[in-house]
Amino acid sequence: MIELLLAFSVIVLLAIPLLWVFSRLPERQDEQPASDQVLDQSDQNKTIQTSRQKKILSFIRRGRLALKKGNFKAAEDYLYQVSGIDEQDDESLAALAQALYSQNKLEKARVVMERLVQQEPTSENLTFLGQLLFEIGQVNEDREDMENSIMCYQVVLKQNPQDLEAKKKLAQTYLALGMQYETRLVYEQIFKEDPTDLEVGLFLANYYQEKDQLDKAEAYLASLFKIYSTDEDVASKYFSLLAERSKYDKIVKYRAFLDSEPSNKSFFLELLGRAYLHLRRFQEAIDYLELYCQIEPDPDGYFNLALAYYQTGCEQQALEYIQAAIDLNSNSARCHYLMAQVYIQQEEYQKAQTALWRVLDLDEQNREARLDLERIKYKLSTSST
């Protein structure tokens, strides 16, 4: 019994120090260390961020697809959701502005683009904003918006002086504001860089023609005609200016233009006939003018044809066509005067007098008609004696 008690005492004595050691150890905790908590939070943030980016990309993709298909309202709805997730997303803002613009929601598109330009003042964004301001200014007849449009284009050109799109839009805005001089300056820069620009070349030709600077107008039209040799509008403007300047020799050089069978063939036939008439190449004038009068009976065409026949001594044909001209316009003094000249050539003096009196009815200051009447009167008086 004593031995059992001694053994128990030894066990107790040994256990007490162990219990004291274990009591000094920290309690076991189920929670993770703080460093592990930070890592978990970072993973959660990354997951949220990834989900957010996926949403943005999904909405942008759907918006762009709808925009491409022409479903602008759907594109607007998708892209507005993107701006709700991330107001700073440039790509979605640009697409949203395009969707709004395509629906003619100009003011809303303007708000979006102004925000985008503040974030990304690129040439593309500024040009689009300038276009919006221009169109809004035209709709509202607001000069200030159009002037702000000019400022956008000027900033673009400061960044890139070779930007032809910005130059053209700047010139169009100047033109809409009635700033012809400024328009001309910009258009000259454009045409120098791109001499194939038909719209710009025609504007410059018209500008200088209105300013009576015909050498410059002709130079622009000649340049365009070299490139657009089958364009009827270019040809008609060029040939008309040559005729106005009495450069008939140049006109007849381009008679091959008729081989292209222009839709307005009669215009070119008449012009060539008139050119040959002025060059005193009467038979060629007759050929073209007869074709012209077959297509388009016209008093001026008949008059020129009669004049060509008169110059070749074909008096009967001249009378035939001058009568056709008078039938269409009986109040043409020059037609009656030409008729009188034919009758004088045929020594039909009484008929010539009748024609000349008609000339004076229409033009009492016609000196040539009065002189001819005096000559006929003298001739008749001398022949009677």
Side-chain angles (χ1 to χ4, degrees):
M1 186 68 179
I2 293 172
E3 291 176 352
L4 288 171
L5 288 172
L6 288 171
F8 181 76
S9 299
V10 169
I11 291 170
V12 170
L13 289 172
L14 291 172
I16 288 172
L18 289 172
L19 288 172
W20 182 83
V21 169
F22 282 117
S23 68
R24 303 300 295 176
L25 292 173
E27 294 183 4
R28 182 180 176 183
Q29 296 179 351
D30 292 332
E31 296 179 1
Q32 294 177 330
S35 60
D36 289 344
Q37 291 181 25
V38 171
L39 288 174
D40 286 348
Q41 186 65 40
S42 176
D43 290 341
Q44 289 176 10
N45 289 339
K46 286 180 181 179
T47 302
I48 293 170
Q49 187 66 25
T50 301
S51 174
R52 185 178 184 181
Q53 288 174 346
K54 284 182 178 179
K55 279 185 178 181
I56 291 172
L57 292 174
S58 174
F59 284 133
I60 291 175
R61 185 171 60 253
R62 292 179 185 181
R64 285 191 173 279
L65 184 60
L67 195 62
K68 187 176 181 180
K69 291 182 176 180
N71 191 348
F72 304 120
K73 184 65 176 69
E76 176 188 350
D77 292 340
Y78 283 126
L79 294 165
Y80 260 130
Q81 292 185 68
V82 176
S83 64
I85 298 170
D86 183 0
E87 294 186 356
Q88 305 303 314
D89 185 80
D90 299 339
E91 186 179 359
S92 65
L93 286 175
L96 175 58
Q98 187 62 54
L100 292 167
Y101 175 72
S102 299
Q103 297 175 81
N104 206 33
K105 297 179 179 179
L106 301 181
E107 289 290 356
K108 287 186 176 181
R110 170 187 182 167
V111 171
V112 174
M113 283 308 301
E114 284 176 344
R115 193 169 90 194
L116 180 56
V117 165
Q118 288 179 352
Q119 297 171 196
E120 287 291 329
T122 63
S123 295
E124 182 180 359
N125 291 339
L126 282 162
T127 301
F128 189 23
L129 178 58
Q131 178 68 26
L132 284 169
L133 291 168
F134 172 75
E135 293 187 23
I136 291 169
Q138 282 197 313
V139 170
N140 298 334
E141 296 182 356
D142 189 335
R143 189 178 182 90
E144 183 178 353
D145 279 331
M146 298 181 81
E147 288 173 348
N148 288 335
S149 170
I150 288 172
M151 291 174 63
C152 288
Y153 299 137
Q154 287 174 337
V155 172
V156 172
L157 291 171
K158 191 173 182 180
Q159 295 175 352
N160 180 14
Q162 306 305 317
D163 193 319
L164 283 178
E165 182 186 4
K167 284 182 181 179
K168 288 192 79 168
K169 290 182 181 297
L170 175 61
Q172 289 165 359
T173 309
Y174 280 142
L175 187 60
L177 291 170
M179 302 167 70
Q180 292 274 335
Y181 176 77
E182 289 79 2
T183 305
R184 190 262 298 174
L185 289 178
V186 179
Y187 269 162
E188 283 185 333
Q189 293 177 27
I190 294 171
F191 198 76
K192 188 175 181 180
E193 295 174 34
D194 181 14
T196 66
D197 195 312
L198 184 59
E199 178 187 351
V200 171
L202 287 175
F203 171 88
L204 290 168
N206 290 334
Y207 175 88
Y208 283 115
Q209 196 164 359
E210 289 174 3
K211 298 292 183 184
D212 205 30
Q213 298 183 39
L214 300 184
D215 284 340
K216 288 186 176 181
E218 183 181 333
Y220 279 112
L221 288 171
S223 176
L224 289 174
F225 189 70
K226 286 179 182 178
I227 300 169
Y228 302 100
S229 58
T230 59
D231 188 288
E232 289 185 43
D233 189 36
V234 174
S236 63
K237 289 180 184 298
Y238 183 38
F239 294 168
S240 295
L241 181 59
L242 291 174
E244 180 184 339
R245 307 192 74 192
S246 301
K247 295 188 175 183
Y248 299 107
D249 55 332
K250 283 191 175 182
I251 293 175
V252 299
K253 288 180 180 178
Y254 297 120
R255 61 182 178 273
F257 180 78
L258 286 171
D259 296 338
S260 65
E261 291 295 323
S263 59
N264 192 15
K265 187 174 182 177
S266 61
F267 169 83
F268 297 102
L269 285 170
E270 189 279 330
L271 194 60
L272 278 167
R274 186 153 40 97
Y276 280 120
L277 184 62
H278 281 278
L279 293 171
R280 303 188 65 80
R281 294 165 62 173
F282 299 119
Q283 188 54 55
E284 289 159 302
I286 289 169
D287 293 340
Y288 282 107
L289 289 168
E290 281 188 336
L291 288 171
Y292 167 69
C293 290
Q294 288 171 14
I295 297 171
E296 191 171 331
D298 170 69
D300 291 333
Y302 281 135
F303 173 84
N304 287 329
L305 184 54
L307 183 58
Y309 271 118
Y310 173 70
Q311 294 290 350
T312 58
C314 300
E315 296 156 7
Q316 200 54 44
Q317 288 93 331
L319 281 174
E320 178 185 340
Y321 285 112
I322 200 62
Q323 186 59 58
I326 290 172
D327 290 343
L328 292 174
N329 181 12
S330 61
N331 294 324
S332 171
R334 69 173 186 163
C335 287
H336 290 285
Y337 186 77
L338 179 57
M339 177 174 276
Q341 299 308 303
V342 177
Y343 282 135
I344 291 172
Q345 192 71 25
Q346 293 179 332
E347 297 185 354
E348 295 278 356
Y349 297 119
Q350 289 184 345
K351 290 181 179 180
Q353 281 180 315
T354 302
L356 290 167
W357 287 330
R358 180 60 178 151
V359 172
L360 292 174
D361 286 342
L362 297 168
D363 178 14
E364 13 177 86
Q365 304 301 320
N366 193 306
R367 184 170 177 273
E368 289 78 9
R370 291 188 182 279
L371 289 172
D372 284 339
L373 279 170
E374 289 296 326
R375 293 189 192 100
I376 291 172
K377 184 178 178 181
Y378 175 75
K379 190 174 285 288
L380 289 174
S381 66
T382 55
S383 62
S384 62
T385 59

